[in-house]
Amino acid sequence: MFNKIISVLFTATFLLITFVMGIGTLLAPDRKISEAENRTLQTFPIFSPTSLLTGQFFKQLNAYTSDQLIGRDEFVKTYEEQQLLTVNRATVVNDIVVVDQQWLLQKPADRLYKTPMDKALEGIQKMKGIVAPHRTEIHYVSLPFPILTLRHLYPSYLQFREPMQNKDYFLTELRKDKTIKVIDVAEPFAAIPEKQRETMYFYTDHHWNMNGAFLGYQSIIREVSNTSAIFRDAPLTENEMNKQQLSKGPFIGSWNRQLNNLIDASADRPWVYKPKGGFTFDQIQVWTTEGKVYDRLENIYGAGIKYPPYQYSSIYAYDHPKMELVNKKASNRLHVLIFKDSYTNTIFPFIAQHFYKTTIIDLRYYKENLEQYLQDHPYNMILMLYNDSNFTTPTYPFLK
Amino acid sequence: MVFSSPIFLFFFLPLSLLCYFFSPWKLKNIVLLLFSLLFYAWGEPLYVFLMLFSILMNYFYGIYLDKYSEKTKKKKIILWLAIISNVLLLGYYKYANFFVDLINQILHTTYTLEPIPLPLGISFYTFHAMSYVIDVYRNRNSQKNLFDLALYITIFPQLVAGPIIRYHIIEDQLKKRKLQFTQFAEGVRVFIIGFAKKTLIANPMGLIADAIFSKQPDEMSTLLAWIGIFAYTMQIYFDFSGYSQMAIGLGKMFGFEFPINFNFPYISRSIAEFWRRWHMTLGQWFRDYIYIPLGGGRVSEWKVYRNLFVVWMLTGFWHGASWTFIAWGLYYGTLISIERMGFAKVLVKSWPPIQHLYVIILVMIGWVFFRADNFPFAFSYIQTMFGLQDTPLFDPQAKYYIVQYKLYFVAAIIGSIPFFDWIKEKIVGHIPPVAAGILSYALYFALFIETMIYMVTSTYNPFIYFRF
């Protein structure tokens, strides 16, 4: 008799769980976006005979039930909390390294990405070929990412050699072309003591903070000046800056967002720098991914300073397909094109101050024909600004 | 659709159970058949018609075998026609590209063939179909009801990845089966264990194996190579046995009893024993339909070894259309032959830990060939495993995997031995049945919820045996 009762209990509980999850998911309103994953969620797929026969309808339905499952975020959060319970000094949760329950760092690459890197190098050579008739000077600037610059924070078993091997391979191959000037901003960073270097990055975000970014900007201008035949200038100094620390409102770092903000980020207090006399741009045009066009710097740089909670993109700038800034007070008449990733979002106005006209393109979102654009728009200089764990993404020319 | 996915667990399964249990007895098989076809079409909307063609073809073969049951010659011709048709069907989709490449290599020709997509589960349902016609030939009654035959071949718990169920085992259950709470509850328990094995152990082990096997063998340390193959050894066991258990559990929920497919193979003390515990239904199929018809062990000595090599070559080939799979099969054929020649007698006298070590090391070496895409990679990997390359013994990545995944490794080792059966034996009888029942209930559902957490968290959850 008792066996039968237990059997009924097993049966009823199993059916209850499976039915409640299914019915609950169907009844709950669909969510459009996952904040933690930073992506849009699959909505109910559109049915058509073609999508049915190709299997596309079923694939999308699978994605829909996964994305819209009731309690999904709570399940994921529970998983992450369980993983964090096992932290001694460091643990890896969803490819994010949690160190001392304070630092969140990217899990280092564990292999050489030679083939994708070769593709990126080919893209650069293709770009170089297209702009050759314009006699454009090309500079590749490698910006320091925490994996290498804060390597000392990783436990010994996560100090893989592959990230440095990938960087060495890429820069060595690039340097074989003597016409491309390669600058490694990590070199001046390496000279700074470890504890001081830690103050240059966010604890819970994959970017540098303004301390590190400003030093990076200064190194860029200095090194480009040293290597360029057409550009000479000195960077702005910290004394010329108005500095503001954002002390109110939480900071939501990119890594912490992926961990459902489980890490205490109260120590992440962003800094914002602005030149004492303000930026001196005569003309600004920014095309956004939504198709809007802005013409004021305050709409696209530091637009979210007064509206916590803060994110890197709201304090500094979002990634936009194209920006153009004109500074007639620059000491030259150079037109410069910048290809970049999000590391440049902190410092692009500072860099643009040094040139007559600066065009900044984020190739992830740029929809026009790049080859045609480069043919039709002569530039005196191209600056490629990428962090040194980014050698293979669509931020590189002709890699989409 | 995989069993360990939200769409199956929370939508397909509840709906199929609801429709099945609320339909009258006469219609239950049809309901289950429709859901099975939907399950298959979910992954392969067009190839469901190929499967229906295979069912229809074998249905008529069965009818004609019955019709000519007294006429031996005609019956044999029909049997051979049936076998050849099924083999050709499987051969075209699974092996045509392989044979074209082989012809080009041997004859130095340049024939080309567009890659032919491999329909999901074709190896499994073709073997089911052949089992049916062979059993009818061997004087089982043919299935007059086309829908019941279709159900035998397509029943979704075992459709895409087994266990391979011989027709004579399930024949009576198609017509007569009971639906009982005790059987359903047992099905739930078996399903939960299979679900946990797949999601909590196989998937993390798979991540490790994939990461390590994506590196070149001469870029990893000896320890990392061992960690990689250990992870794969655990992945393939927990993946496959977990899926089989989910299939068996689901079968019980619908009133069917399927045979078990794995019996703790990693505790074996000989290779022969390993294959009596690993993918048992496949081994039984080859034994009953290939090995024994060839004469089995009852022929002259050289023929026995011939029979073993044929079976093991086919076993390897069944797993995949490549030389590495054939080599893997022949590797086991060789080992089993060596044991048969007399090494088994030496082995049985050895200290048991040596016997276990012998099996586990040889099995892990075999898995290198199974996992590798080509021979150079496999050989290079084995060289690294045994320190025969210019690579360090140890590197930070090896330590990383040990530190990060130590709990999973321990769980995998414990799960691959009958530890919980042993614990259960010790406990049952020493605690009151009510307490045992409640404890069991609590533990199973704690495991189920934890596995659901992992399932929801993971976004990528393939089942590696889908393309066989």
Side-chain angles (χ1 to χ4, degrees):
Chain A
M1 180 62 187
F2 178 73
N3 278 345
K4 189 152 187 194
I5 294 172
I6 279 287
S7 296
V8 170
L9 205 54
F10 262 95
T11 302
T13 309
F14 182 77
L15 292 174
L16 184 70
I17 293 172
T18 53
F19 274 87
V20 163
M21 290 296 297
I23 294 169
T25 300
L26 288 173
L27 292 177
D30 286 355
R31 294 185 306 149
K32 291 200 169 56
I33 289 173
S34 165
E35 286 289 338
E37 293 168 277
N38 197 31
R39 66 175 179 92
T40 52
L41 296 173
Q42 176 73 50
T43 49
F44 198 87
I46 298 166
F47 176 82
S48 71
T50 314
S51 70
L52 186 71
L53 287 174
T54 57
Q56 194 59 22
F57 178 75
F58 294 126
K59 277 197 185 101
Q60 288 173 341
L61 206 49
N62 284 349
Y64 171 76
T65 51
S66 292
D67 281 358
Q68 302 294 345
L69 193 71
I70 192 167
R72 183 170 190 264
D73 286 351
E74 284 70 30
F75 277 113
V76 174
K77 201 167 175 176
T78 306
Y79 170 83
E80 289 166 350
E81 283 171 345
Q82 288 177 359
Q83 297 292 308
L84 288 172
L85 283 175
T86 62
V87 173
N88 289 326
R89 187 169 103 70
T91 193
V92 180
V93 184
N94 290 342
D95 278 350
I96 299 165
V97 183
V98 182
V99 181
D100 293 331
Q101 294 272 4
Q102 182 189 30
W103 279 98
L104 299 180
L105 300 163
Q106 184 172 313
K107 182 171 166 269
D110 57 6
R111 72 201 72 165
L112 270 176
Y113 290 102
K114 194 170 168 295
T115 304
M117 284 196 287
D118 284 342
K119 285 201 167 78
L121 290 162
E122 281 166 23
I124 293 173
Q125 287 300 320
K126 181 177 175 180
M127 176 198 75
K128 186 187 134 187
I130 295 167
V131 304
H134 305 311
R135 302 161 85 104
T136 307
E137 207 176 77
I138 301 175
H139 297 257
Y140 181 95
V141 184
S142 178
L143 305 175
F145 193 81
I147 289 178
L148 291 172
T149 314
L150 299 183
R151 194 164 184 260
H152 61 277
L153 287 174
Y154 288 85
S156 60
Y157 54 83
L158 278 170
Q159 291 182 12
F160 299 164
R161 54 191 177 175
E162 280 79 2
M164 184 52 90
Q165 286 177 337
N166 281 321
K167 181 178 175 178
D168 282 345
Y169 176 81
F170 194 87
L171 295 189
T172 302
E173 290 300 304
L174 207 51
R175 284 186 171 118
K176 284 179 183 171
D177 184 338
K178 303 284 181 216
T179 62
I180 297 178
K181 302 175 200 309
V182 178
I183 296 165
D184 187 1
V185 173
E187 286 168 12
F189 271 64
I192 297 167
E194 283 173 1
K195 280 292 166 208
Q196 195 181 341
R197 235 184 288 152
E198 288 173 23
T199 65
M200 298 189 170
Y201 292 89
F202 286 107
Y203 292 116
T204 59
D205 190 279
H206 69 282
H207 294 102
W208 51 13
N209 60 28
M210 198 68 215
N211 297 336
F214 194 77
L215 183 67
Y217 144 74
Q218 291 178 317
S219 302
I220 291 167
I221 297 302
R222 227 177 267 128
E223 294 303 317
V224 172
S225 281
N226 287 341
T227 54
S228 171
I230 55 174
F231 173 74
R232 285 283 179 280
D233 208 348
L236 298 168
T237 64
E238 284 209 26
N239 290 336
E240 295 173 87
M241 295 295 124
N242 279 329
K243 297 183 196 176
Q244 178 194 357
Q245 188 177 36
L246 304 178
S247 51
K248 292 188 179 129
F251 174 74
I252 302 174
S254 52
W255 293 139
N256 209 10
R257 194 173 59 231
Q258 285 189 42
L259 293 183
N260 284 286
N261 298 309
L262 287 173
I263 299 296
D264 176 13
S266 52
D268 253 339
R269 298 265 56 100
W271 283 90
V272 175
Y273 290 11
K274 288 216 171 110
K276 282 178 179 164
F279 290 105
T280 56
F281 293 111
D282 299 281
Q283 196 181 310
I284 290 173
Q285 269 194 302
V286 177
W287 292 263
T288 70
T289 48
E290 290 92 29
K292 291 183 189 166
V293 181
Y294 291 110
D295 60 4
R296 293 163 65 89
L297 188 66
E298 51 267 34
N299 292 135
I300 51 115
Y301 187 74
I305 287 173
K306 291 182 182 151
Y307 309 109
Y310 306 116
Q311 295 185 53
Y312 176 83
S313 48
S314 67
I315 301 165
Y316 307 114
Y318 288 87
D319 297 316
H320 300 297
K322 190 173 167 199
M323 298 190 278
E324 274 181 1
L325 300 96
V326 174
N327 177 23
K328 292 179 180 169
K329 294 180 195 63
S331 60
N332 57 66
R333 283 291 171 267
L334 297 175
H335 288 201
V336 173
L337 173 61
I338 296 177
F339 290 126
K340 62 131 188 111
D341 59 27
S342 55
Y343 260 56
T344 306
N345 293 357
T346 358
I347 50 174
F348 75 87
F350 297 93
I351 296 173
Q353 288 280 249
H354 293 272
F355 302 101
Y356 177 74
K357 185 174 176 186
T358 309
T359 303
I360 301 164
I361 289 180
D362 192 318
L363 288 166
R364 287 171 291 187
Y365 307 104
Y366 186 72
K367 300 272 187 271
E368 310 299 325
N369 184 317
L370 180 64
E371 186 167 351
Q372 196 63 52
Y373 180 84
L374 291 173
Q375 282 168 356
D376 297 343
H377 295 83
Y379 285 95
N380 302 110
M381 186 190 291
I382 291 178
L383 290 179
M384 306 182 72
L385 309 178
Y386 298 112
N387 75 70
D388 62 15
S389 84
N390 171 19
F391 301 111
T392 60
T393 68
T395 50
Y396 280 79
F398 306 111
L399 258 202
K400 258 196 224 170
Chain B
M1 202 190 311
V2 292
F3 296 154
S4 52
S5 66
I7 184 96
F8 176 82
L9 201 52
F10 305 132
F11 298 91
F12 184 90
L13 181 61
L15 188 61
S16 59
L17 287 170
L18 193 70
C19 295
Y20 182 76
F21 283 102
F22 280 99
S23 58
W25 263 106
K26 278 187 196 168
L27 293 179
K28 280 193 186 329
N29 280 1
I30 302 260
V31 166
L32 197 47
L33 171 65
L34 288 172
F35 273 97
S36 299
L37 291 174
L38 175 61
F39 181 86
Y40 190 81
W42 201 276
E44 303 276 15
L46 290 176
Y47 282 120
V48 71
F49 297 104
L50 178 70
M51 188 171 67
L52 290 172
F53 168 76
S54 170
I55 291 167
L56 207 58
M57 177 180 78
N58 287 289
Y59 172 76
F60 283 112
Y61 279 132
I63 296 292
Y64 279 102
L65 280 168
D66 228 4
K67 186 177 172 188
Y68 295 112
S69 58
E70 303 301 324
K71 296 179 182 173
T72 318
K73 201 171 171 191
K74 270 192 178 159
K75 196 172 147 183
K76 210 164 207 174
I77 291 170
I78 292 167
L79 174 69
W80 277 107
L81 266 175
I83 290 172
I84 290 166
S85 310
N86 280 293
V87 168
L88 278 177
L89 196 69
L90 177 63
Y92 173 73
Y93 284 98
K94 193 163 178 178
Y95 301 110
N97 290 110
F98 174 81
F99 282 118
V100 166
D101 290 342
L102 184 63
I103 288 167
N104 285 337
Q105 276 170 24
I106 295 171
L107 301 177
H108 303 289
T109 46
T110 53
Y111 298 117
T112 56
L113 181 65
E114 280 299 308
I116 298 169
L118 182 62
L120 203 61
I122 190 171
S123 302
F124 288 97
Y125 73 66
T126 304
F127 268 39
H128 282 126
M130 285 204 282
S131 163
Y132 166 68
V133 292
I134 295 170
D135 282 357
V136 171
Y137 174 82
R138 288 178 179 176
N139 296 323
R140 306 296 298 195
N141 294 326
S142 70
Q143 183 53 258
K144 302 290 188 292
N145 185 325
L146 174 60
F147 297 116
D148 283 354
L149 176 65
L151 181 62
Y152 158 65
I153 289 174
T154 65
I155 185 169
F156 76 80
Q158 51 80 61
L159 175 54
V160 293
I164 297 171
I165 302 165
R166 262 85 61 72
Y167 177 68
H168 64 265
I169 290 171
I170 206 168
E171 187 184 5
D172 290 339
Q173 295 182 63
L174 287 169
K175 276 287 170 259
K176 287 176 280 184
R177 60 188 181 274
K178 285 185 187 171
L179 299 174
Q180 297 168 318
F181 274 114
T182 44
Q183 188 184 27
F184 193 99
E186 182 58 20
V188 168
R189 283 189 284 270
V190 172
F191 180 86
I192 289 173
I193 296 294
F195 183 39
K197 281 167 99 170
K198 170 84 179 78
T199 311
L200 298 183
I201 300 181
N203 286 355
M205 291 292 118
L207 288 175
I208 299 169
D210 287 347
I212 295 174
F213 272 86
S214 68
K215 292 168 72 78
Q216 288 304 310
D218 58 4
E219 288 171 2
M220 63 178 82
S221 64
T222 300
L223 182 58
L224 192 66
W226 278 100
I227 291 171
I229 194 56
F230 174 79
Y232 186 70
T233 301
M234 290 297 139
Q235 177 199 0
I236 196 167
Y237 169 63
F238 283 95
D239 205 62
F240 201 9
S241 67
Y243 209 82
S244 290
Q245 269 180 288
M246 284 193 275
I248 291 166
L250 289 167
K252 285 179 190 285
M253 290 182 208
F254 289 97
F256 289 92
E257 290 294 336
F258 296 156
I260 69 163
N261 216 8
F262 291 85
N263 184 17
F264 299 105
Y266 291 151
I267 65 168
S268 301
R269 295 200 266 191
S270 70
I271 298 297
E273 185 187 353
F274 175 79
W275 278 99
R276 288 195 295 273
R277 291 172 174 269
W278 179 277
H279 201 175
M280 294 155 65
T281 57
L282 181 73
Q284 287 156 9
W285 195 99
F286 273 109
R287 181 197 64 201
D288 291 349
Y289 298 124
I290 306 283
Y291 185 67
I292 289 175
L294 284 174
R298 294 182 184 185
V299 289
S300 62
E301 201 63 12
W302 81 266
K303 280 189 179 174
V304 171
Y305 293 111
R306 176 206 66 185
N307 297 343
L308 283 171
F309 271 93
V310 166
V311 163
W312 285 103
M313 192 189 74
L314 290 176
T315 302
F317 206 35
W318 178 87
H319 281 80
S322 87
W323 287 111
T324 49
F325 285 116
I326 295 173
W328 174 81
L330 289 173
Y331 169 77
Y332 278 111
T334 306
L335 291 174
I336 284 172
S337 300
I338 292 171
E339 285 183 2
R340 195 178 191 282
M341 279 177 202
F343 187 67
K345 289 180 187 154
V346 171
L347 204 54
V348 89
K349 290 177 195 161
S350 312
W351 188 35
I354 297 287
Q355 295 170 352
H356 290 298
L357 207 59
Y358 154 82
V359 170
I360 204 71
I361 288 178
L362 287 178
V363 163
M364 285 168 80
I365 290 171
W367 288 138
V368 174
F369 287 97
F370 198 84
R371 179 62 174 76
D373 290 329
N374 52 65
F375 285 116
F377 184 95
F379 288 126
S380 183
Y381 197 95
I382 291 169
Q383 284 180 306
T384 302
M385 279 168 67
F386 290 98
L388 301 173
Q389 300 236 57
D390 186 22
T391 52
L393 277 176
F394 177 84
D395 62 14
Q397 282 194 41
K399 188 176 175 189
Y400 159 68
Y401 285 110
I402 293 169
V403 168
Q404 181 72 14
Y405 290 95
K406 55 184 177 295
L407 291 178
Y408 295 96
F409 288 139
V410 168
I413 292 169
I414 291 174
S416 61
I417 60 176
F419 174 77
F420 291 106
D421 291 348
W422 179 80
I423 291 279
K424 202 170 156 185
E425 265 176 51
K426 296 286 171 201
I427 291 177
V428 166
H430 291 92
I431 63 170
V434 172
I438 292 170
L439 184 65
S440 162
Y441 171 82
L443 286 174
Y444 271 100
F445 282 102
L447 185 64
F448 186 51
I449 301 292
E450 182 66 11
T451 311
M452 274 169 52
I453 289 170
Y454 270 70
M455 175 189 73
V456 173
T457 304
S458 71
T459 55
Y460 185 56
N461 196 15
F463 175 58
I464 58 174
Y465 257 70
F466 260 175
R467 291 299 172 197
F468 293 109

